[in-house]
Amino acid sequence: MSKFYKISGELTWVKKTPDQKYPPGYWTLNVKPDEEGLKTLLETGLNLSKKSDGSFTFRRPTQKLFKTGLKIFDPPKFLIREPKGDIIEMDKDTLIGNGSKGVVKLEVYQTASGFGHRYESVLVTDLISYTPPENRESREKISEFKNDLPSVW
C-alpha cells in the first residue's frame, strides 16, 4: 500500500519530457526542500542522497515491469497556481526554470529492499520561465565557451 506526501521547495532541472539517458526513460526533477518540505521528506522514510546544493532528485518511470506484467505510466501532471489563486494544468510548451517554487506530490511505497517512490505531479507556485537559446548563434557561443574551458573541466 502506498502513501502520498507533498514536498515543497525550490525546483531545478524539471524535465517535462522523459529523459532517455537510462532507458526506458524517466521524468525527473530536483527539489531543494524548504523547512516544511524537509520535515515531510524525513517522514517518508526514503533513503535518498542529498546533492551538494541541498536538493534531492525525484523521478517517474515511463514504464515498469512488475510480476503481473508491464505497467505504462502516464506522464506526471504539471500544474500552476495562477495569480488569482486558481490551479490549472500548465501549458505543455511552458518550461519550468531553475529556482521556481513549487510542491511535488510524491507516492511512496514498500519494495523488497525498502521504500520506493515516484512523483505524481508538480504544482508550481512561483514560476521562473525557462527560455532555451532560440538561435543557432547562441548555441554556438555556448559551445565556444565550453571549448575555451581548461581541460580539467
Side-chain angles (χ1 to χ4, degrees):
M1 191 163 111
S2 53
K3 286 181 78 175
F4 291 91
Y5 297 89
K6 293 181 180 177
I7 311 296
S8 56
E10 183 179 314
L11 308 172
T12 57
W13 295 101
V14 179
K15 306 240 188 322
K16 289 179 77 175
T17 56
D19 185 350
Q20 298 299 322
K21 184 176 180 181
Y22 304 104
Y26 293 90
W27 291 277
T28 61
L29 58 78
N30 294 340
V31 178
K32 183 177 181 181
D34 55 25
E35 191 174 323
E36 182 181 325
L38 186 57
K39 182 179 173 187
T40 304
L41 185 58
L42 292 172
E43 291 173 11
T44 66
L46 290 169
N47 185 17
L48 299 172
S49 297
K50 185 191 248 186
K51 295 186 171 294
S52 60
D53 67 355
S55 69
F56 297 87
T57 299
F58 299 106
R59 59 189 196 162
R60 178 179 182 80
T62 57
Q63 59 187 340
K64 191 166 184 176
L65 185 59
F66 293 97
K67 291 178 186 176
T68 56
L70 183 67
K71 165 97 169 133
I72 306 294
F73 291 100
D74 291 330
K77 292 197 182 308
F78 294 95
L79 308 168
I80 188 164
R81 179 173 287 137
E82 291 186 312
K84 58 185 174 183
D86 295 336
I87 295 174
I88 61 168
E89 195 155 341
M90 188 178 285
D91 178 49
K92 67 180 177 77
D93 297 326
T94 301
L95 300 178
I96 303 168
N98 293 346
S100 295
K101 304 282 190 243
V103 179
V104 176
K105 184 176 180 184
L106 196 64
E107 180 179 9
V108 177
Y109 49 88
Q110 185 68 48
T111 70
S113 58
F115 289 107
H117 77 277
R118 74 182 141 258
Y119 83 88
E120 294 291 312
S121 61
V122 180
L123 169 61
V124 177
T125 55
D126 184 14
L127 177 66
I128 296 174
S129 293
Y130 172 72
T131 306
E134 291 182 23
N135 58 38
R136 183 180 181 97
E137 185 178 312
S138 296
R139 288 190 297 274
E140 286 173 356
K141 285 181 182 177
I142 291 170
S143 294
E144 287 173 21
F145 172 75
K146 287 180 181 177
N147 291 335
D148 290 341
L149 292 175
S151 61
V152 294
W153 286 95

